[in-house]
Amino acid sequence: MQDETAQSSADELKAWLLAAPLEEVTARARARRDARGPARMTYSPKVFIPLTRLCADVCHYCTFATTPSRLEAPYLTPDEVLAIARAGAASGCREALFTLGDAPERRYAAAREWLAERGFARTVDYVRHCAELVLGETGLLPHVNAGVLEQQDYAMLRPVAASAGLMLESISERLLEKGMCHHGSPDKVPALRLASLTAAGEARVPMTSGVLIGIGETAEERLDSLFALRDLHCEHGHLQEVIVQNFCPKPGTKMAEAPEATENDFLRVVAAARLILPDEVSVQAPPNLNDERLVELIDAGIDDWGGISPVTLDHVNPEAPWPEVERLRAICAGKGLPLVERLTIYPRYITTEDRSWIDPAIRPAVLRHADAEGLARDSAWSPGLAGQHAPGNVHAPLGRQHEGPVAASLHRILERAASGATLGEDDIVALFATRGAAAQAVVDAADAMRAEVSGETVTYVVNRNINYTNICTHTCSFCAFSKTSSKAGFRDKPYNLDLGEIAGRAREAVARGATEVCLQGGIHPSYTGDTYLSIVRAVKEACPDLHVHAFSPLEVSQGARTLGMPVGDYLAMLKDAGLGSLPGTAAEILCDDIREQICPGKLTTQEWLDVVGSAHRVGLPTTSTVMFGHLEGTGHWARHLLALRNLQLDTGGITEFVPLPLVHMEAPFYRRGQCRKGPTWREAVMMHAVARLALNGAINSIQCSWVKLGMDGAAAVLAAGANDLGGVLMDESISRAAGAAHGQGVTIEELRQAAESVGRRLRQRTTLYGEVPLELA
């Protein structure tokens, strides 16, 4: 009965799509597209690798396929393949599209002999070899269009290809008849192609497919083809995108004089694809074949432009050059849909908890290219890398953004944030997801709020870090500071400072003008609650007026546990001993699904919140932090911010929020290929801006980390909602162990230059944001 109902619904939709006015069809498709997710258009920067132009088929519209006599060699050599791929990587490509004819060895002896001389039985085996070379030598993600394949072929390709493709073209059997376009092309039998697409789904390979419009099919057959693709995806969930491609007659082919589909017919199929296919399947149209109607395609409901190459032409349609990306970007922005780079594998297969869609062998390469949403990283920038400059600046933190309309729904979120209301998780995720003009609106709102809340000064504290031990019982996958096993970094040897050394460093800090000493270390197996009490007392005896900002919630928890007392009672003891405040570190991401992966055995989310809340209740203020850019997504960021906001509204003891971008270079889980390369530049900016908005009315100070962002990056973020540059630090060790190259200290003059670059005045503060006595300032 359910199948009958579904078929009846499909029949009704098909009848409407065939009969309704085009304007109604495109309007409904456009609305469906706009409701399916963040406002954006995507494309994949790719390089074409035409591995062979030989093909077993003789499609009557194709100029790509040719004969051995017209080629210098049946296949590109590995060196030729790598040369193309390296040129693509150097030009910013992320995808290597292997395009080739169907199994030419079935038709041509020259192909069989060439393969056999090199130890390959089939073209697909050579494809795999070349894809593996490209992946290993260039890091580009291969996408393989190798024609009709079986499940074992797809399984063979999975470790070296992030995705694959096979155009259905049409479900019409008529096109195989004599005089029709697919006559003499055995691989174009619809049932065979559907079987191959089914095999890809069973092999868990994310796929591209599509339909070709204007090759002799009827209007009804076009829709039947889309319904067939819909049914395939509903069964296997593996279609990333469906291309609606218009046939363009080419000289020298049997269909050179054949009429193209009319523009109205083509746009109707584009819109129909959006309405027939599930929301998660993207609808794509090739921009180089439709340069004169790019706006019309956007208005018909597409959300993706496919692959665009800055290096190679479209070998299948060489007469149609790619549009200039900046022109395309401006057109998309004008429609309120910022153009965003994606990978050849779509975001939902990267961010899902279902790991079966990406082979473990290729996952590290995918993660190296990915951002928190599973889209492509916006630049080569990563936190802490040497010799790089922030892609943004104080005048444009996000870099240049094309102007365009901003949705009213975003303005409503910004208005609620400005009023001090608590935003919902979906609202915060929507802020993080903004791109282009919408993202600029978020940054502008955050900076305006900063001016209202924090004024026109940039604050800092003169402090010294004392990391008293790097020996730790925990095996956090992000930490290159601890030295308990070979999983750690290689910059430092294990150490454990004695109380005399700690006190001596505190005296040195005071002599250099410090008002604060920040004390943190690993969870040393021999440390007890008395150890931490002794450290505080040693510092306060040496420097009675020095503010002691010390001990993460994890260290406090260990101290209380070893003494067998409640956390609140132990915190009161620390306060009596001279502790002035706690760093809100060890928060990482306050979502237990991520904590279980990156810091198993540490505090749970609730335990961290309980320790920090207990500190506030005994009169010990704390900072708050987030560590981002590894395994988490924007939903985790939103939940983290809301957890901090709710805690602050309850206890009021948080002095500031400090985003801490992951420095990935020496992080153990990055070295094992298990995480991303820290946040992108855009994500780093947006974390500060969105935090300012989401925490408004609760936490007033947003601090940026020059250690991780670099001083130019920190200055840029000051124009995106941040008001505080943190401390001069002196001897920062943890980020340095992870590979950060921005030094262990900074001068006050450098901080002043950063503040003045955004037209603001630098002011020294105390740890708790009080005024510093004149003799110390």
Side-chain angles (χ1 to χ4, degrees), residues 173-231:
E173 298 279 351
R174 292 184 310 100
L175 302 184
L176 297 166
E177 296 173 1
K178 189 173 183 179
M180 301 300 283
C181 65
H182 287 158
H183 183 66
S185 299
D187 297 295
K188 294 302 173 76
V189 175
L192 188 63
R193 297 182 87 75
L194 288 170
S196 183
L197 287 166
T198 298
E202 292 169 345
R204 308 291 279 176
V205 173
M207 289 290 289
T208 293
S209 191
V211 293
L212 187 55
I213 305 304
I215 55 175
E217 78 291 347
T218 67
E220 189 167 349
E221 287 168 342
R222 294 166 182 168
L223 301 187
D224 288 340
S225 299
L226 291 172
F227 278 112
L229 290 172
R230 182 200 67 175
D231 294 344

Side-chain angles (χ1 to χ4, degrees), residues 149-492:
L149 302 175
E150 297 183 356
Q151 185 174 343
Q152 58 265 35
D153 299 321
Y154 287 114
M156 176 185 70
L157 290 170
R158 270 174 50 90
V160 299
S163 59
L166 178 67
M167 291 286 284
L168 173 60
E169 296 194 7
S170 178
I171 203 169
S172 174
E173 298 279 351
R174 292 184 310 100
L175 302 184
L176 297 166
E177 296 173 1
K178 189 173 183 179
M180 301 300 283
C181 65
H182 287 158
H183 183 66
S185 299
D187 297 295
K188 294 302 173 76
V189 175
L192 188 63
R193 297 182 87 75
L194 288 170
S196 183
L197 287 166
T198 298
E202 292 169 345
R204 308 291 279 176
V205 173
M207 289 290 289
T208 293
S209 191
V211 293
L212 187 55
I213 305 304
I215 55 175
E217 78 291 347
T218 67
E220 189 167 349
E221 287 168 342
R222 294 166 182 168
L223 301 187
D224 288 340
S225 299
L226 291 172
F227 278 112
L229 290 172
R230 182 200 67 175
D231 294 344
L232 268 176
H233 178 77
C234 288
E235 183 176 359
H236 299 288
H238 66 313
L239 291 188
Q240 309 191 102
E241 60 191 348
V242 167
I243 304 169
V244 181
Q245 182 169 331
N246 48 313
F247 158 71
C248 298
K250 298 177 176 63
T253 67
K254 291 185 178 181
M255 295 181 67
E257 302 301 323
E260 299 182 45
T262 68
E263 179 171 288
N264 283 358
D265 285 349
F266 177 54
L267 293 176
R268 184 178 293 272
V269 182
V270 170
R274 180 64 284 151
L275 294 170
I276 291 171
L277 296 166
D279 284 346
E280 69 268 18
V281 178
S282 283
V283 175
Q284 177 191 124
N288 59 318
L289 302 184
N290 296 281
D291 192 68
E292 74 284 0
R293 49 176 169 251
L294 299 175
V295 170
E296 287 79 4
L297 285 170
I298 295 173
D299 287 343
I302 70 164
D303 60 278
D304 186 81
W305 293 114
I308 298 177
S309 180
V311 178
T312 51
L313 49 74
D314 179 351
H315 290 280
V316 178
N317 300 284
E319 76 287 353
W322 301 112
E324 185 179 314
V325 169
E326 278 306 304
R327 173 171 160 264
L328 192 62
R329 195 183 306 279
I331 291 171
C332 294
K335 301 298 291 184
L337 297 167
L339 186 64
V340 180
E341 293 183 17
R342 62 164 172 83
L343 306 181
T344 181
I345 179 171
Y346 268 65
R348 70 178 182 277
Y349 298 103
I350 300 172
T351 59
T352 179
E353 293 181 5
D354 181 357
R355 294 293 184 91
S356 66
W357 287 107
I358 304 178
D359 191 272
I362 201 171
R363 179 173 289 276
V366 172
L367 292 177
R368 281 195 294 271
H369 285 288
D371 70 7
E373 293 183 88
L375 292 162
R377 297 183 70 84
D378 58 17
S379 68
W381 183 92
S382 283
L385 278 178
Q388 64 174 0
H389 292 287
N393 56 59
V394 297
H395 304 293
L398 292 169
R400 179 173 176 263
Q401 303 293 316
H402 286 277
E403 294 183 0
V406 175
S409 58
L410 177 61
H411 286 300
R412 288 193 291 270
I413 296 173
L414 296 178
E415 288 167 3
R416 290 202 301 277
S419 72
T422 298
L423 300 179
E425 181 180 324
D426 290 345
D427 293 333
I428 298 173
V429 169
L431 293 177
F432 279 123
T434 55
R435 306 269 175 158
Q440 188 61 52
V442 172
V443 167
D444 292 343
D447 199 48
M449 189 177 293
R450 181 273 313 157
E452 180 180 343
V453 173
S454 302
E456 297 299 328
T457 60
V458 174
T459 51
Y460 74 101
V461 64
V462 178
N463 62 352
R464 181 175 191 172
N465 273 20
I466 302 178
N467 303 120
Y468 35 77
T469 183
N470 64 354
I471 298 171
C472 186
T473 58
H474 288 277
T475 55
C476 300
S477 59
F478 56 83
C479 182
F481 174 70
S482 70
K483 295 294 176 284
T484 56
S485 71
S486 60
K487 65 96 184 173
F490 305 101
R491 295 193 172 204
D492 301 301

Side-chain angles (χ1 to χ4, degrees), residues 536-618:
V536 175
R537 290 169 181 147
V539 172
K540 293 302 285 185
E541 287 172 7
C543 309
D545 296 327
L546 187 62
H547 183 99
V548 179
H549 181 66
F551 313 136
S552 72
L554 180 61
E555 292 172 287
V556 169
S557 178
Q558 170 175 315
R561 179 181 54 79
T562 59
L563 296 183
M565 64 170 56
V567 165
D569 293 347
Y570 182 58
L571 283 162
M573 291 179 65
L574 288 170
K575 182 182 178 185
D576 290 342
L579 182 64
S581 58
L582 272 68
T585 51
E588 329 311 356
I589 289 289
L590 293 175
C591 299
D592 287 331
D593 58 330
I594 298 298
R595 298 181 75 78
E596 288 170 3
Q597 297 177 67
I598 68 173
C599 51
K602 285 178 71 171
L603 300 179
T604 65
T605 294
Q606 191 57 53
E607 287 169 342
W608 188 94
L609 292 169
D610 288 344
V611 173
V612 175
S614 295
H616 299 165
R617 292 183 181 94
V618 302

